Amino acid sequence: MPSDTGIKGDVARRAYVNARLVDPAENMDTTGGIVIADGRIVARGPKVTAKSAGNGTPVTDCKGKLLFPGLLDMRTFTGEPGNEYRETLATASEAAAAGGVTTMIVMPNTDPVVDDVAIVDFILRRARDTAVVRVAPMAAITKGLKGEAMTEIGMLQEAGAVAVTDGNKAVANAQLLRRALSYANDFGLLVVQHVEEASLTTGVMNEGEVATRLGLPGTPPAAEVIMLERDIRLVELTGARYHAAQISCAASLDLIRTAKQRGLPVSCGVSVNHLVLNENDIGAYRTFFKMSPPLRSEDDRKAMITGLADASIDVIVSSHDPQSADTKRLPFAEAEFGAIGLETMFSAALSLHHAGEVSLPRLMSAMSTKPAELLGLEAGRLAPGAPADFAIADPDKSWTVEDAKLRSRAKNSPFEHRTLEGRVLETVVAGRTVYAYD
Amino acid sequence: MTNGEPRPTTIINGQHLLAIDDLSPDEITALLDLGNHYVELNRQIEKKQSTLRGRTHINLFFEASTRTQSSFEIAGKRLSADVMNMSVKGSSVSKGETLLDTAVTLNAMHPDILVVRHHASGAAELLAQKVGCAVVNAGDGQHEHPTQALLDALTIRRRLGKLQGLNVAICGDILHSRVARSNLLLLQKMGAYVRLVAPSTLLPQDADRLGADVYRDMAAGIEGADVVMMLRLQLERMDGRFIPSSREYYRFYGLDGEKLSLAKTDALVMHPGPMNRGVEIDSEVADGVQSVIREQVEMGVAVRMAVLDALARNLPGGGNM
């Protein structure tokens, strides 16, 4: 387990008390606190108070605010290496910290591609030297993301890759994916697939009435469903663990539910965008809402929420994909796909809690405990012994997303100018405060 | 031998040697015993014996193989057969003649023993149905390579005194290997425990239903083994479709000193050759004290003499040379 991602623990002992403690790893939602030392949690629970922490231990009074495991984002794209003008590991990590994300799982779609141990080394080294949160890379499944030949999956894992994926590309060749599933499974490594049948994915938004009215080519939900259905058959054939990076439509959810009922080792994620936005948000050709998979219908969005609430959908991702003005300030059809999201994931997801649609522990689990579990990382919980990675937030505090204040180097946020309810106040990684709201 | 002397005992019952699958444990034992006899002959200065005098032995190799072909050739010559090699290059086979056309043509020349290697599984079987002579399968596709399994068994038996109860780890490209299949069958027939060690991509589907224990982790697979049998990994399997690269293969499935130390202290190291040094086996291990790889080559000639002899006994007029 690559626990050492270069973050050096703060040796200072400190107590955080009088918090609403949410630890989804143990279904805990209680008033209490934690004590940290040497970058790890040493005590947690209702009995942790300023008094119990002992003399000389500095105490932070959380004043009833939410304290929860730092979030793990299973889908962060950065521009490092290769496209640093869009985003570096450092700038992405600042955005992550401001959003309560303490571990970014970065995608291999860089230049060069993360398909060689040297690139994994590079990312881990750059992360150690420049990032304020933990960085865990996923390596490519195929060399050069070309979908033709497997990468050195075993050696990439030894170098520190936590899973394999071709990121925003689907592995189209069924035989190759079958073998990659088998091979990665020998090493206990999760295969993460972007579920999209390329030959059906020729549109720029969801296929349907809205696209027709806008005069834009659409991509039907079937593009996702076909690939997912095929992949599930391969999981059945290989018995290997498989994770659909993001699903976006009701039909995919049905497939996931059936596969899980049949006991197949399948899991999936949904981007926070697909939980709170739909195709209508594109409005007047707003390119920040152009993403892959595309925003779907309102019915699909509601299905995603149901799936998340009953844990058919395992994780929420930010799908943070920084794009610069030159690739976004274009006619809709010509603009790049992708939206940033590290800084807004928590707040946007919290809207489901405020609407009474998904419980708070379930939401937190989908952004911390569950991704950690899928990837075999020791974060994502507040148990004594766990890394002191956590965040404190005011779930009711509203704030307005202003691009000038976003920490990401790119500003393509679909929540631009929106007022969100719920704000991260402090983020701690390995015992060190890496973000404090001012 | 002249009239009045007893006919030599029957070694195997069949007319051909197509697969280990067709042999009983008694037949295997008899072949190994006869092979053992020829080991001694081969170590003498006078190596020639008249067993197959007058017989025509044709090597028909549709796949290039210097070592197997020459091993059969030497075996035939030491038994005084007239040996002819037919390789594909320069023959009518490369001009589009089918396997059966070739067989019929050769059959008309009245050979006694046809040794065939072909890239298609079942080719030897097909040939055997169409010719009148004895057919020896020298490797058919991904099916069987019976003389390899016999020579491996003879090597093990001479070194360890038995086959029964041994733990033999067969490691590498099980999926494409006829050597693995023949060895698995033979060793199981003789009461050895076989483990198959390979990444999932080089294991056949349902490998666990072949009666062997299957391991994806090499350390676990060779722990405590009496014999570690490595397989050759074809270069074209290492381009990312089955295996990411040769260095990754070597890292996780190559036999080096560290991995070998997990097997029994005096475990035998075997390889059917030709080896990819630094891919499936480390040079120090291949040339080390536990390696019996060169001995396998020696046993190969002896076992093939035994096979030719055994089959000749079953030919019309056999045993009356």
Side-chain angles (χ1 to χ4, degrees), chain A residues 15-34:
Chain A
Y16 292 80
V17 301
N18 192 26
R20 179 181 170 189
L21 214 53
V22 174
D23 186 357
E26 282 163 62
N27 255 326
M28 181 184 278
D29 186 353
T30 181
T31 301
I34 60 170

Side-chain angles (χ1 to χ4, degrees), chain B residues 244-267:
Chain B
S245 68
S246 58
R247 73 168 174 168
E248 168 128 334
Y249 189 75
Y250 181 70
R251 165 73 188 80
F252 295 103
Y253 295 97
L255 185 65
D256 56 16
E258 197 184 324
K259 295 195 191 90
L260 181 59
S261 69
L262 298 166
K264 283 211 179 129
T265 318
D266 297 320

Side-chain angles (χ1 to χ4, degrees), chain A residues 68-218:
Chain A
F68 51 96
L71 309 183
L72 287 89
D73 179 27
M74 263 181 86
R75 196 170 176 84
T76 300
F77 295 88
T78 80
E80 186 168 357
N83 287 294
E84 287 82 356
Y85 71 98
R86 279 195 299 192
E87 188 89 290
T88 61
L89 290 165
T91 56
S93 79
E94 294 287 346
V101 174
T102 51
T103 304
M104 302 189 293
I105 289 101
V106 293
M107 295 296 105
N109 311 66
T110 47
D111 184 14
V113 170
V114 186
D115 61 359
D116 190 280
V117 290
I119 314 297
V120 174
D121 283 346
F122 171 82
I123 285 177
L124 291 176
R125 215 162 356 95
R126 288 292 291 169
R128 181 195 63 204
D129 294 345
T130 67
V132 298
V133 304
R134 293 182 204 269
V135 173
M138 282 193 198
I141 300 172
T142 68
K143 290 168 189 163
L145 305 172
K146 289 188 181 129
E148 291 161 6
M150 261 190 281
T151 54
E152 293 169 320
I153 289 172
M155 294 172 82
L156 287 163
Q157 181 187 36
E158 285 188 330
V162 295
V164 285
T165 182
D166 273 1
N168 56 16
K169 285 189 167 179
V171 178
N173 184 313
Q175 178 72 287
L176 186 70
L177 185 65
R178 175 198 180 172
R179 297 217 180 101
L181 279 165
S182 292
Y183 192 79
N185 200 50
D186 288 350
F187 294 92
L189 212 56
L190 186 67
V191 170
V192 180
Q193 165 86 315
H194 179 60
V195 276
E196 194 173 77
E197 165 55 45
S199 61
L200 263 181
T201 310
T202 49
V204 297
M205 65 173 292
N206 185 39
E207 189 171 285
E209 185 191 335
V210 183
T212 302
R213 288 183 187 282
L214 289 171
L216 291 171

Side-chain angles (χ1 to χ4, degrees), chain B residues 19-20 143-150 177-187:
Chain B
I20 294 296
H143 175 227
E144 280 229 40
H145 190 356
T147 58
Q148 179 72 43
L150 288 165
S177 175
R178 54 195 173 215
V179 174
R181 276 169 185 69
S182 287
N183 264 306
L184 173 69
L185 290 166
L186 187 149
L187 291 164

Side-chain angles (χ1 to χ4, degrees), chain B:
Chain B
M1 277 169 268
T2 53
N3 282 345
E5 283 189 30
R7 288 169 62 90
T9 44
T10 302
I11 302 290
I12 59 175
N13 293 315
Q15 188 195 342
H16 312 289
L17 178 65
L18 301 177
I20 294 296
D21 207 21
D22 301 335
L23 299 178
S24 69
D26 285 347
E27 289 175 308
I28 292 167
T29 302
L31 276 172
L32 297 181
D33 290 346
L34 188 57
N36 204 38
H37 160 75
Y38 283 122
V39 174
E40 305 313 319
L41 177 73
N42 288 336
R43 288 180 178 175
Q44 294 169 15
I45 292 169
E46 173 57 57
K47 301 176 182 67
K48 200 141 173 161
Q49 177 169 311
S50 62
T51 317
L52 298 185
R53 197 168 59 207
R55 298 290 192 192
T56 303
H57 157 191
I58 298 180
N59 284 330
L60 179 58
F61 275 59
F62 293 88
E63 258 182 11
S65 166
T66 314
R67 59 174 64 207
T68 306
Q69 186 170 324
S70 47
S71 180
F72 270 107
E73 184 176 352
I74 290 171
K77 284 181 170 165
R78 292 212 174 136
L79 295 175
S80 305
D82 295 315
V83 184
M84 194 194 110
N85 287 314
M86 252 197 81
S87 55
V88 175
K89 253 186 198 162
S91 78
S92 50
V93 174
S94 56
K95 295 172 195 154
E97 190 177 81
T98 68
L99 175 64
L100 286 182
D101 288 340
T102 308
V104 169
T105 307
L106 287 174
N107 203 37
M109 301 178 193
H110 299 295
D112 298 287
I113 298 175
L114 202 54
V115 176
V116 63
R117 166 167 291 192
H118 198 276
H119 52 80
S121 303
E125 173 76 44
L126 182 64
L127 210 61
Q129 291 165 10
K130 298 291 172 191
V131 296
C133 63
V135 174
V136 179
N137 180 6
D140 63 326
Q142 299 170 10
H143 175 227
E144 280 229 40
H145 190 356
T147 58
Q148 179 72 43
L150 288 165
L151 76 87
D152 288 339
L154 183 57
T155 309
I156 297 170
R157 207 181 72 168
R158 284 174 60 94
R159 281 282 183 152
L160 303 179
K162 59 173 183 178
L163 295 169
Q164 173 94 30
L166 295 179
N167 280 299
V168 181
I170 305 178
C171 312
D173 188 358
I174 313 284
L175 179 63
H176 301 99
S177 175
R178 54 195 173 215
V179 174
R181 276 169 185 69
S182 287
N183 264 306
L184 173 69
L185 290 166
L186 187 149
L187 291 164
Q188 286 181 332
K189 278 176 199 267
M190 302 310 285
Y193 302 105
V194 179
R195 309 166 182 181
L196 301 176
V197 184
S200 291
T201 46
L202 295 179
L203 280 168
Q205 195 76 356
D206 293 332
D208 52 339
R209 296 179 64 176
L210 300 174
D213 290 325
V214 178
Y215 294 85
R216 273 86 177 174
D217 174 15
M218 188 157 178
I222 66 176
E223 194 181 341
D226 298 287
V227 178
V228 181
M229 198 179 269
M230 301 306 298
L231 299 172
R232 176 178 168 79
L233 183 65
Q234 305 286 346
L235 290 172
E236 64 267 25
R237 314 276 188 229
M238 291 179 277
D239 63 1
R241 286 176 302 132
F242 291 93
I243 290 297
S245 68
S246 58
R247 73 168 174 168
E248 168 128 334
Y249 189 75
Y250 181 70
R251 165 73 188 80
F252 295 103
Y253 295 97
L255 185 65
D256 56 16
E258 197 184 324
K259 295 195 191 90
L260 181 59
S261 69
L262 298 166
K264 283 211 179 129
T265 318
D266 297 320
L268 304 182
V269 172
M270 305 180 75
H271 194 296
M275 288 181 277
N276 291 308
R277 290 169 184 266
V279 177
E280 69 255 1
I281 192 162
D282 182 66
S283 265
E284 283 190 23
V285 170
D287 303 329
V289 289
Q290 289 172 257
S291 168
V292 293
I293 295 169
R294 269 169 297 187
E295 205 169 307
Q296 286 174 271
V297 178
E298 183 189 359
M299 295 306 126
V301 175
V303 144
R304 284 164 184 135
M305 288 167 78
V307 167
L308 297 175
D309 181 356
L311 290 174
R313 294 178 195 207
N314 297 353
L315 287 169
N320 291 314
M321 296 300 291

Side-chain angles (χ1 to χ4, degrees), chain A residues 91 94-95 98 288 329 340 343-344 399-413 415-418 423 438:
Chain A
T91 56
E94 294 287 346
F288 289 0
R329 303 283 180 209
I340 58 168
E343 205 164 339
T344 47
W399 62 290
T400 301
V401 180
E402 294 168 65
D403 60 1
K405 285 191 180 169
L406 288 172
R407 281 150 186 85
S408 177
R409 186 166 281 177
K411 307 298 177 192
N412 53 313
S413 169
F415 298 102
E416 174 183 38
H417 308 315
R418 261 195 212 220
R423 176 74 231 176
D438 48 32

